[in-house]
Amino acid sequence: MIAALIILAALVVAGAVLYFFHRRDEARVESYIEEPPEIGENAECCGMHITCEKDSLLSSVSPEIEYYDDEELDRYAGTGADDYSDEAIEEFRGVLLTLLPHDIAGWARSIQLRGITLPSPVREELLLIVSEARAAATAHNNA
């Protein structure tokens, strides 16, 4: 009985630690999206910073709207993140999942510039894909 309690306590502690790190990482991604880093108009990416214009999700970095064969999504401009139907969510998800990996950040920038709010589930998927891609790039650069 004591062994079972020790195992249970260890699982609770491990779960609490994992939850803490998950929330911390999630907060970092959210703050990165909401608070753009200072980037000058003529700044060039030197490869030493976490953000470059090429892979930034910030609409303030590049004011040019680029379409990714997704003009039909313009009809959702002004729709709230939680106001989408299941069909609309699947439409956004379909576009996201058919993009090439290097086009995802540009597509997100384009969506923002067009005044379209992503549906909440698709936004979470986008953040996950981008954070995984950046982690992989960072790991590759450090190797």
Side-chain angles (χ1 to χ4, degrees), residues 5 9 12 15-16 21 31 33 36 44 47 49 52 58-59 76 80 92-93 98 102 113 127 136-137 143:
L5 290 176
V12 168
F21 284 113
S31 68
I33 298 296
E44 293 184 26
H49 299 93
C52 288
L58 305 170
S59 60
Y76 296 113
F92 277 93
R93 185 174 286 129
T98 58
H102 63 271
L113 290 170
L127 292 175

Side-chain angles (χ1 to χ4, degrees), residues 11-28:
L11 285 174
V12 168
V13 169
V17 169
L18 290 173
Y19 178 75
F20 167 76
F21 284 113
H22 171 73
R23 296 295 294 178
R24 184 193 67 178
D25 292 344
E26 190 175 78
R28 283 183 183 171

Side-chain angles (χ1 to χ4, degrees), residues 27-108:
R28 283 183 183 171
V29 170
E30 289 293 329
S31 68
Y32 180 78
I33 298 296
E34 294 171 3
E35 298 173 15
E38 296 297 321
I39 298 176
E41 285 187 17
N42 297 325
E44 293 184 26
C45 182
C46 63
M48 298 300 292
H49 299 93
I50 195 164
T51 303
C52 288
E53 180 175 347
K54 179 181 176 189
D55 64 353
S56 176
L57 293 178
L58 305 170
S59 60
S60 62
V61 175
S62 177
E64 185 177 325
I65 295 175
E66 184 175 346
Y67 284 89
Y68 294 82
D69 198 22
D70 64 344
E71 295 82 7
E72 70 277 2
L73 298 180
D74 283 344
R75 71 179 182 271
Y76 296 113
T79 304
D82 297 322
D83 298 335
Y84 289 99
S85 67
D86 290 339
E87 294 81 23
I89 292 171
E90 288 306 315
E91 189 174 353
F92 277 93
R93 185 174 286 129
V95 172
L96 174 62
L97 296 178
T98 58
L99 291 170
L100 296 173
H102 63 271
D103 286 339
I104 292 175
W107 178 72

